[in-house]
Amino acid sequence: MKFSTKTRYGIRAMLEIARDESKSGVLQKDIAERQGISNKYLDQIIHALKAAGLVINHRGKKSGYVLTRHPSEISMLDIHNAFEPGICVIDCMSQHFKCGLEGTCRARGFWGGLNNMVLDYFRSVTLEDLKTGKTIPVSELQQQ
C-alpha cells in the first residue's frame, strides 16, 4: 500500500497552515519554499484542499490560506479524502471492486481487518496531533 504524493504533500501543506500564528494566513509561495514543493504542483494540492472545504483564502484571492476548522477537528482521513476516494489496502477492499472469490475467500477478513486499522488510525490522528507532536510512534504501534 502506498499513499499518493498529493496526500503526503497535502498533509505537509495543512501542517504549515495549522502552524501559522499570524492570523493573516500563509502564502502559497511560503508553503512551497518551506516544504520544497513546486508552486505549480502545490497549486493543485491547495485547489483540492479548498474543494474539500479544509482551507480558504483569508482575504480573497492572492491572500494567505487559513484552515476552515480548528486543527483538532481535522483528521488525517479528512485530508486524505481531499485527494483520494478512500483507503484500500488491497483492491478487493474497494466498494467498486468485484471479485469472483468474494464469497469464498478466507483471506478477505484479514485484509478487511487491516484496512479498518488503517482507517481508524487516519480517523484518530488530527492535524493538532501532528502540530503538537502527539502521534503514536510506529514502535509503540508494533508493541500493541
Side-chain angles (χ1 to χ4, degrees):
M1 177 176 175
K2 187 175 179 181
F3 293 98
S4 74
T5 304
K6 285 186 178 179
T7 295
R8 295 190 325 266
Y9 287 3
I11 290 171
R12 289 168 42 189
M14 290 288 287
L15 191 52
E16 284 288 334
I17 297 166
R19 293 177 63 208
D20 180 57
E21 295 182 13
S22 71
K23 306 298 181 212
S24 61
V26 183
L27 296 175
Q28 183 172 318
K29 68 178 182 72
D30 293 335
I31 297 170
E33 185 178 301
R34 286 194 290 257
Q35 290 299 319
I37 304 169
S38 80
N39 203 36
K40 185 175 181 180
Y41 193 55
L42 184 57
D43 195 48
Q44 296 172 34
I45 292 165
I46 294 291
H47 178 74
L49 293 171
K50 285 171 74 173
L54 297 173
V55 299
I56 57 171
N57 291 89
H58 180 62
R59 291 189 183 142
K61 213 169 188 172
K62 304 255 186 206
S63 66
Y65 291 100
V66 295
L67 302 176
T68 58
R69 298 177 287 193
H70 190 273
S72 65
E73 298 171 357
I74 299 173
S75 72
M76 293 300 104
L77 188 60
D78 294 330
I79 299 169
H80 177 274
N81 288 343
F83 304 101
E84 301 185 46
I87 293 177
C88 294
V89 294
I90 60 172
D91 290 338
C92 72
M93 292 293 103
S94 170
Q95 293 176 352
H96 306 296
F97 187 82
K98 298 295 180 207
C99 176
L101 300 175
E102 190 171 324
T104 60
C105 180
R106 296 192 179 252
R108 185 169 172 77
F110 167 76
W111 294 119
L114 178 60
N115 205 80
N116 287 337
M117 288 173 67
V118 173
L119 279 168
D120 288 344
Y121 188 65
F122 268 67
R123 278 187 200 107
S124 70
V125 177
T126 67
L127 195 53
E128 182 74 14
D129 294 331
L130 264 62
K131 180 181 166 186
T132 59
K134 292 183 183 174
T135 56
I136 300 170
V138 173
S139 60
E140 287 183 32
L141 287 174
Q142 292 171 342
Q143 293 173 2
Q144 292 181 357

